[in-house]
Amino acid sequence: MKKLFVAATVLALTACTAPSEPQLTIAPTPVIATQATAHGKALSLESRDLRTAQFIAVVDSGRQNVQPLHATQNLRITLEDALSRQLRSQGYVITQDSQGTLRLDILEAMINVKHSMMSHELNSKLQLQLVVESTA
């Protein structure tokens, strides 16, 4: 019984120390306006992630060794929060009950990295769509 307990403990500790997949931290910095131009206009803000793949980077180390990387936080929420801070600095009031809606659609967000012993090649693509709808 004691051997079984020791084996279970070792197995549990090994599972806790198993290496996790690397993740990327995305931290967009909005440009904060120095002067409010909207003067308290109400605006509803929504967002959608329309990407087919939920990872944000692919690292190709050659020899068919391709590793997808995910963000540490939800990309849609991160970009919506940055846009919300930007709009608030311009004087908009973000609310659920307004006549105007601004929707942020994430169409593509991908970083392709080709990694070799002598070089690194990086290509990135970010495609966003802003849709403004008015009920009035």
Side-chain angles (χ1 to χ4, degrees):
M1 187 68 171
K2 186 176 182 182
K3 289 181 183 179
L4 179 63
F5 178 72
V6 171
T9 303
V10 169
L11 182 63
L13 290 176
T14 304
C16 292
T17 61
S20 62
E21 292 293 322
Q23 294 182 332
L24 296 175
T25 301
I26 307 295
T29 305
V31 178
I32 304 300
T34 57
Q35 186 175 3
T37 56
H39 305 294
K41 291 181 182 173
L43 183 67
S44 177
L45 182 61
E46 299 174 355
S47 62
R48 299 186 307 184
D49 191 347
L50 303 175
R51 298 175 297 149
T52 56
Q54 293 304 305
F55 50 86
I56 58 169
V58 175
V59 178
D60 184 355
S61 299
R63 297 186 185 193
Q64 298 179 350
N65 186 14
V66 178
Q67 178 182 19
L69 298 177
H70 295 271
T72 54
Q73 67 280 7
N74 186 313
L75 182 62
R76 180 189 64 80
I77 293 172
T78 301
L79 292 177
E80 183 179 321
D81 287 345
L83 181 58
S84 175
R85 286 185 306 210
Q86 174 71 41
L87 292 170
R88 283 190 176 106
S89 77
Q90 293 176 353
Y92 288 97
V93 176
I94 306 299
T95 180
Q96 295 296 327
D97 187 29
S98 71
Q99 292 182 351
T101 300
L102 177 64
R103 188 181 72 229
L104 169 67
D105 293 338
I106 304 170
L107 304 176
E108 187 172 1
M110 182 61 66
I111 303 168
N112 291 307
V113 180
K114 290 195 185 284
H115 170 70
S116 69
M117 295 295 271
M118 301 301 241
S119 68
H120 302 286
E121 183 180 326
L122 175 77
N123 293 313
S124 62
K125 184 173 183 181
L126 177 63
Q127 188 176 4
L128 303 174
Q129 174 176 278
L130 292 175
V131 179
V132 179
E133 297 175 341
S134 177
T135 57

